[in-house]
């Protein structure tokens, strides 16, 4: 059973370009979470999605950032008009059920975004 | 809001040394506590967890005990190996804050020298 897949692993963009990060959850998992890790900091929750629905986007910046998890295909985190401050590692996690006290999330290897 | 504080790294030890990585938390509710490990170039993996006071989580020789009185969840291992070199993250999930989303410490890098 393949784990959570993320691609690309490394992404370089110039300021003003768009970054598109993809996440394929583990087989049978319909819950996806996106986190951002700035250098020397812990992970910060961004958004929680189920298939075709955004459940909690309280951690996502209001502008330039969007996420989707379509019925078919991977979850996408999109950052429009990137700025240098968007440089970070972006991790995706999936779980077979929603958040709870026994919540175990399975993580992908991350996408490291560098904005020049 | 809730928060997790870990000891700063890197922590450098010799093989077979005793390991402690401190983790303390603040929470409005009664959280579950987790340790995740990230090996170089890989994603985070759940190492162990505890869901109520005095519970001890254990896995691969690592242990951590949920101490409500000191709001701590320190990670310990009696004899570390070079293969334990990784970044370790403490996290909590609090039903009364952020709807069970995981809140993370900054991570502690562990380096084990042969």
């Amino acid at each position: 059973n393949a784990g959570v897949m993320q691609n690309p692993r490394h992404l370089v963009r110039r300021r003003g370009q768009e970054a598109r990060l993809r996440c394929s959850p583990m087989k049978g998992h319909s819950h996806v979470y996106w986190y951002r890790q700035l250098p020397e900091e812990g992970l910060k929750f961004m958004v929680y999605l189920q298939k075709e629905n955004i459940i909690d986007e309280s951690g996502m910046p209001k502008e330039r950032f969007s996420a989707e998890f379509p019925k078919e295909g991977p979850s996408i985190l999109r950052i429009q008009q990137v700025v240098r401050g968007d440089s970070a590692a972006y991790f995706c996690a999936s779980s077979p059920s929603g958040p709870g006290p026994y919540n175990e999330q399975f993580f992908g290897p991350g996408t490291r975004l560098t904005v020049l | 809001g809730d928060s997790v504080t870990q000891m700063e790294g890197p922590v450098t030890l010799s093989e077979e040394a005793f390991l402690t990585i401190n983790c303390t938390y603040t929470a409005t509710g009664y959280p579950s506590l987790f340790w995740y490990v990230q090996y170089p170039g890989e994603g985070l993996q759940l190492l162990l967890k505890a869901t109520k006071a005095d519970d001890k989580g254990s896995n691969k020789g690592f242990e951590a005990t949920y101490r409500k009185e000191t709001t701590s969840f320190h990670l310990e291992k009696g004899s570390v190996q070079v293969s334990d070199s990784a970044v370790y993250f403490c996290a909590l999930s609090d039903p009364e804050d952020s709807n069970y989303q995981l809140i993370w410490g900054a991570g502690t890098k562990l380096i084990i020298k042969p």
Side-chain angles (χ1 to χ4, degrees), chain A residues 4-5 20-34 47-57 60 66-78 92-98 106:
Chain A
V4 178
M5 313 278 282
R20 199 173 274 240
L21 288 63
R22 285 176 290 277
C23 168
S24 296
M26 287 181 71
K27 189 175 181 181
H29 289 192
S30 58
H31 301 259
V32 165
Y33 314 80
W34 284 95
V47 62
Y48 160 44
L49 309 103
Q50 291 182 38
K51 283 283 187 183
E52 300 184 276
N53 288 302
I54 296 174
I55 306 302
D56 180 355
E57 57 182 348
M60 201 137 79
S66 62
E68 62 178 14
F69 189 15
K71 189 176 179 182
E72 303 289 338
S75 176
I76 306 286
L77 178 67
R78 180 205 265 184
C92 168
S94 72
S95 63
S97 57
F106 296 81

Side-chain angles (χ1 to χ4, degrees), chain B residues 92-103:
Chain B
L92 70 81
S93 172
D94 184 351
E96 295 194 25
D97 184 21
S98 68
N99 195 28
Y100 280 120
Q101 298 304 346
L102 288 168
I103 295 170

Side-chain angles (χ1 to χ4, degrees), chain B residues 19-23 33-36 47-59 61-67 72-77 89-90:
Chain B
L19 168 71
T20 301
I21 300 178
N22 290 338
C23 171
L33 301 171
F34 305 83
W35 276 101
Y36 279 78
L47 181 60
L48 52 84
K49 66 183 179 185
T51 57
K52 60 183 188 295
D54 301 324
D55 264 3
K56 178 186 283 187
S58 60
N59 186 24
F62 290 89
E63 294 182 339
T65 301
Y66 189 147
R67 300 282 187 209
S72 64
F73 193 54
H74 303 322
L75 183 68
E76 297 182 335
K77 186 174 185 182
F89 293 90
C90 185

Side-chain angles (χ1 to χ4, degrees), chain A residues 9 109 112, chain B residues 36-45 47 60 62 82-89:
Chain A
R9 295 290 304 275
R112 277 148 183 85
Chain B
Y36 279 78
V37 58
Q38 184 180 26
Y39 297 104
E42 298 183 15
L44 283 75
Q45 304 171 25
L47 181 60
K60 299 181 181 179
F62 290 89
V82 172
S83 57
D84 293 327
S85 298
V87 180
Y88 292 81
F89 293 90

